[in-house]
Amino acid sequence: MVGSVESMNNNGRVYSNGSIHHTNGNEEKLDELRRQLGKADGDPLRIVGVGAGAWGSVFAAMLQDSYGQFRDKVQIRVWRRCGRAVDKATAEHLFEVINSREDVLRRLIRRCAYLKYVEARLGDRTLYADEILRDGFCLNMIDTPLRPLKVVTNLQEAVWDADIVVNGLPSTETREVFEDISKYWKERLTVPIIISLSKGIEAALHPVPHIITPTQMIYRATGIPMDNILYVGGPNIASEIYNKEYANARICGTEKWRKPLAKFLRQPHFIVWDNSDLVTHEVMGGLKNVYAIGAGMVAALTNESATSKSVYFAHCTSEMIFITHLLAEDPEKLAGPLLADTYVTLLKGRNAWYGQMLAKGGLSLDMGDSISGKGMIQGVSAVGAFYELLSQSSLNVSRHGESKPVRPVDMCPILKTLYKILITREQSSEDILQALRDENMNDPRERIEIAQSHAFYMPSLLGQPLDS
């Protein structure tokens, strides 16, 4: 829990960090969603989080915080794979976190769970990711203790009767897991709602070059109608949300479910907007992770130079605006959300941290893109996907004043450099500065003007072509 209960008032519980849990209002919101889903009295609303990374765990813990007390009306649980061991260094750090938080220490002692953390610190016991999650600790966010969660390690048990499934998996795992889930839903009479938190894309080149997003992966794997699949994105940071700092999110999908779910998710500290443009927002959520890695590299290589970071921001946002004009019919509508989500990710996201650590030598590319204590670095696979997609000659565009068309990726020098650093490994992190300071680099204003003055929109990029 974030803080201990100090008092009660007419609105609900007042916690030591000043937050108020509005129990009456939350019960009304829960009752309203239950009615919309046709839930009968005595039949609890079943919400299941699939995957337990930072955002997935916080999302489930936030719902448990708000609605978990109404046990006869809602059940909230999380599925994660069993058997992931916690390394000794993480176990030692976890012990320090526990002993620095009186409320957490008391809670573990009451649950008779404290001794296992003592033993793990001494090396006499191995902890596992699923068991510490039951005690309120996410392996990718050790410093932010959560409310204890009900954890299920059997996928069929977790999802077979779920009303709402929250996809907290990386995009690289989404397809495989939901193909398994679809086997358990063959006999279902009702269609579940799926809320995807995943950010990342795949590039498919046949029958035409196009992007595949996590919600599309889920649709193809399960056959659940797209009307019942939604996406929730930023700008936000998971740990700040759970610490009751002010945060925003945007839920995207059809009006049938996005407006009721926006109301259900909304809290005094967590403002949820809604938007009908699901796929484009989802793709933008993956795109900002690409450039966050480069931002981390620039910050580390220039000793946090404000000028270098701002020049990088100008160039990367101009590339993102150009790519947005390829993907969206009304790109101007995305400018605010895209820039806000990019800014927060550059400030404090795991992808920027990854770029910093690569540039400092604290990590190497040979360690892969799943990092202990941080989870999956989605920006790495997204760099490969966006480069592969935008390098297709069938997508060539004409630059203003030039007769020869060019590949879209040739107008994105930062993306090209990140690809050569992270994917082909032809270049080192230091080369991001060379790309930034290249005397032939155009003013980013020109790239934006080119994007805005040409009809670059290619609906096939976000279409849903027939499966090959």
Side-chain angles (χ1 to χ4, degrees):
M1 289 172 59
V2 172
S4 58
V5 179
E6 292 191 339
S7 63
M8 299 284 290
N9 69 7
N10 292 332
N11 294 318
R13 293 177 173 85
V14 181
Y15 285 84
S16 58
N17 66 355
S19 66
I20 298 174
H21 286 233
H22 296 264
T23 53
N24 294 334
N26 282 345
E27 187 168 17
E28 290 170 2
K29 290 196 293 182
L30 176 58
D31 288 341
E32 185 176 345
L33 185 61
R34 284 174 50 84
R35 282 194 299 272
Q36 289 166 323
L37 283 164
K39 300 296 291 186
D41 290 343
D43 183 17
L45 174 66
R46 295 174 177 86
I47 302 175
V48 177
V50 175
W55 190 196
S57 296
V58 163
F59 199 88
M62 181 174 64
L63 293 176
Q64 183 68 33
D65 243 4
S66 300
Y67 300 107
Q69 63 191 296
F70 309 114
R71 295 179 184 177
D72 58 331
K73 296 182 178 182
V74 65
Q75 292 178 358
I76 300 163
R77 55 189 186 267
V78 175
W79 172 83
R80 73 155 295 140
R81 293 184 176 92
C82 61
R84 172 88 183 269
V86 178
D87 62 64
K88 191 171 185 296
T90 304
E92 289 175 350
H93 181 53
L94 186 52
F95 183 78
E96 292 172 1
V97 171
I98 291 167
N99 283 278
S100 69
R101 296 280 297 263
E102 187 179 345
D103 57 322
V104 176
L105 182 60
R106 262 198 252 116
R107 168 161 59 80
L108 289 173
I109 291 172
R110 272 199 310 272
R111 291 163 60 95
C112 301
Y114 179 65
L115 183 58
K116 68 184 177 187
Y117 293 98
V118 176
E119 293 173 342
R121 176 176 175 259
L122 297 173
D124 297 333
R125 189 188 195 286
T126 300
L127 292 172
Y128 293 93
D130 52 295
E131 80 173 306
I132 68 170
L133 189 61
R134 290 182 174 92
D135 291 326
F137 301 103
C138 171
L139 190 58
N140 296 341
M141 201 172 51
I142 293 296
D143 292 304
T144 304
L146 307 174
R147 173 184 284 271
L149 293 167
K150 178 173 175 53
V151 181
V152 180
T153 55
N154 181 291
L155 185 59
Q156 182 174 4
E157 178 188 346
V159 304
W160 74 274
D161 62 347
D163 300 298
I164 298 175
V165 174
V166 179
N167 175 35
L169 297 163
S171 61
T172 48
E173 298 177 21
T174 294
R175 186 194 311 276
E176 176 189 351
V177 173
F178 275 87
E179 284 175 350
D180 287 339
I181 287 174
S182 69
K183 300 171 188 174
Y184 312 132
W185 284 350
K186 291 187 183 301
E187 307 301 321
R188 283 190 67 127
L189 299 178
T190 59
V191 180
I193 294 170
I194 300 172
I195 301 172
S196 182
L197 311 178
S198 182
K199 299 174 178 69
I201 70 159
E202 290 181 359
L205 304 182
H206 302 289
V208 294
H210 62 281
I211 288 170
I212 303 174
T213 67
T215 60
Q216 291 170 334
M217 294 175 199
I218 292 167
Y219 166 72
R220 294 181 182 193
T222 64
I224 298 296
M226 283 301 294
D227 282 359
N228 277 48
I229 305 177
L230 302 101
Y231 163 72
V232 171
N236 53 56
I237 297 292
S239 60
E240 293 183 357
I241 291 173
Y242 195 72
N243 283 328
K244 301 292 187 289
E245 298 178 38
Y246 174 81
N248 291 322
R250 178 174 280 96
I251 187 165
C252 304
T254 56
E255 187 170 351
K256 176 183 179 182
W257 291 121
R258 76 172 190 270
K259 289 189 178 294
L261 286 168
K263 186 175 182 180
F264 179 69
L265 295 174
R266 194 174 295 128
Q267 301 294 332
H269 65 284
F270 186 57
I271 308 305
V272 181
W273 302 312
D274 69 276
N275 192 284
S276 62
D277 192 349
L278 182 153
V279 174
T280 314
H281 278 88
E282 192 178 14
V283 172
M284 294 303 108
L287 182 59
K288 49 94 176 177
N289 287 334
V290 166
Y291 291 97
I293 295 177
M297 292 176 179
V298 170
L301 293 168
T302 64
N303 196 26
E304 301 287 343
S305 161
T307 300
S308 294
K309 289 195 293 185
S310 63
V311 170
Y312 177 84
F313 188 75
H315 281 295
C316 80
T317 51
S318 73
E319 289 189 18
M320 293 172 79
I321 289 169
F322 170 71
I323 294 171
T324 304
H325 277 72
L326 292 172
L327 300 173
E329 188 171 12
D330 298 308
E332 293 78 12
K333 294 180 180 179
L334 293 168
L338 176 59
L339 290 176
D341 208 4
T342 301
Y343 184 59
V344 75
T345 304
L346 267 55
L347 283 177
K348 201 176 178 180
R350 77 181 70 179
N351 289 276
W353 170 87
Y354 179 73
Q356 285 187 321
M357 295 302 291
L358 284 178
K360 290 177 179 177
L363 293 173
S364 74
L365 291 172
D366 291 335
M367 297 170 70
D369 51 8
S370 182
I371 305 300
S372 176
K374 289 291 182 179
M376 181 62 68
I377 309 299
Q378 289 276 204
V380 178
S381 61
V383 166
F386 276 107
Y387 180 91
E388 185 177 15
L389 186 76
L390 300 180
S391 63
Q392 299 304 304
S393 59
S394 60
L395 303 177
N396 280 5
V397 298
S398 296
R399 251 195 300 225
H400 186 63
E402 296 183 15
S403 57
K404 185 179 179 181
V406 298
R407 301 176 305 167
V409 76
D410 292 325
M411 297 183 69
C412 302
I414 300 295
L415 175 59
K416 288 179 69 174
T417 302
L418 287 170
Y419 181 79
K420 291 178 180 179
I421 294 171
L422 297 170
I423 308 301
T424 63
R425 304 188 187 183
E426 301 170 53
Q427 297 182 345
S428 65
S429 299
E430 289 78 9
D431 288 305
I432 196 75
L433 295 183
Q434 180 59 37
L436 201 62
R437 297 166 180 172
D438 187 339
E439 62 183 17
N440 297 314
M441 175 84 87
N442 292 332
D443 185 330
R445 170 186 60 83
E446 295 180 19
R447 190 177 295 105
I448 295 172
E449 287 180 350
I450 290 170
Q452 292 176 336
S453 62
H454 290 66
F456 284 149
Y457 173 49
M458 298 181 185
S460 60
L461 285 172
L462 293 187
Q464 297 183 25
L466 295 173
D467 291 331
S468 54

